[in-house]
């Protein structure tokens, strides 16, 4: 019986010690604590694309201001990196392929938190078949002509 009491005491002390070691220490780390995880952003973009595609006949549609045409696209996937911009928006890049299977488009998404939800606030065509439309200078876009 004494053995079990000692074992329970040892386990209790170990759990308390682990809890003290694993605690956060406010003010010790730089930057702001993000409550949004990369998977949350990926899900928000995927849901947005899937909902938009369902409404618009099975394709994600985007207006190309340069070519003056609507692209009918199939979603291929998201890039791995998620960026948090200084204004609080989140940024993520994605890949689409045209409905005819001929053209690959790199589409950039910007999201913002809205009432504990993520909303897509901007979408731009970054590349068409590898040809850039703009470059980033820090967080600013520089159009390429």
């Amino acid at each position: 019986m004494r053995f079990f009491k000692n074992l329970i005491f040892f386990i209790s002390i170990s759990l308390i010690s682990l809890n003290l070691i694993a605690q956060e220490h406010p003010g010790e780390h730089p930057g702001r604590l993000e409550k949004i995880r990369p998977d949350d952003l990926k899900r928000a973009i995927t849901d947005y694309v899937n909902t938009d595609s369902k409404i618009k006949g099975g394709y994600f549609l985007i207006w190309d201001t340069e070519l003056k045409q609507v692209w009918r696209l199939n979603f291929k996937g998201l890039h791995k990196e998620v960026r948090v911009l200084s204004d609080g928006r989140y940024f993520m890049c994605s890949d689409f392929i045209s409905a005819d299977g001929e053209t690959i488009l790199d589409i950039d998404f910007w999201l913002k938190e809205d009432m504990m939800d993520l909303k897509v606030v901007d979408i731009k065509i970054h590349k068409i078949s590898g040809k850039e439309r703009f470059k980033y200078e820090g967080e600013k876009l520089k159009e390429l002509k």
Side-chain angles (χ1 to χ4, degrees):
M1 188 66 159
R2 182 172 175 92
F3 172 77
F4 288 112
K5 284 183 181 179
N6 287 339
L7 182 61
I8 290 171
F9 176 76
F10 176 77
I11 291 172
S12 299
I13 295 298
S14 297
L15 290 174
I16 290 169
S17 297
L18 284 175
N19 190 33
L20 291 174
I21 292 170
Q23 286 182 347
E24 288 295 327
H25 306 285
E28 285 188 13
H29 302 109
R32 70 175 200 253
L33 183 62
E34 290 299 323
K35 53 187 173 265
I36 301 296
R37 299 172 308 177
D39 286 346
D40 296 331
L41 278 125
K42 291 174 184 177
R43 186 173 22 264
I45 293 170
T46 302
D47 289 350
Y48 180 88
V49 169
N50 289 339
T51 300
D52 192 73
S53 297
K54 186 183 267 188
I55 292 167
K56 297 175 180 167
Y59 295 102
F60 183 75
L61 305 179
I62 189 166
W63 173 251
D64 188 328
T65 56
E66 191 172 305
L67 297 177
K68 307 291 187 232
Q69 74 176 45
V70 174
W71 285 97
R72 294 181 332 150
L73 304 171
N74 290 306
F75 183 59
K76 286 298 174 196
L78 295 163
H79 295 198
K80 291 181 182 178
E81 290 187 346
V82 172
R83 303 285 182 166
V84 181
L85 305 176
S86 60
D87 64 2
R89 290 179 303 155
Y90 297 89
F91 171 85
M92 196 161 198
C93 190
S94 62
D95 292 321
F96 289 80
I97 191 160
S98 60
D100 64 7
E102 299 287 320
T103 309
I104 296 171
L105 284 88
D106 179 302
I107 308 284
D108 293 349
F109 285 86
W110 288 263
L111 298 93
K112 192 150 184 104
E113 282 183 87
D114 179 37
M115 303 292 288
M116 297 301 292
D117 198 14
L118 287 165
K119 301 285 185 198
V120 173
V121 294
D122 201 3
I123 304 168
K124 290 195 182 298
I125 299 171
H126 186 187
K127 298 177 191 172
I128 296 181
S129 294
K131 185 175 183 228
E132 283 186 306
R133 294 272 179 96
F134 56 86
K135 288 188 180 268
Y136 290 98
E137 291 181 350
E139 293 183 10
K140 304 274 186 208
L141 300 178
K142 179 183 178 186
E143 299 291 330
L144 301 175
K145 301 280 177 176

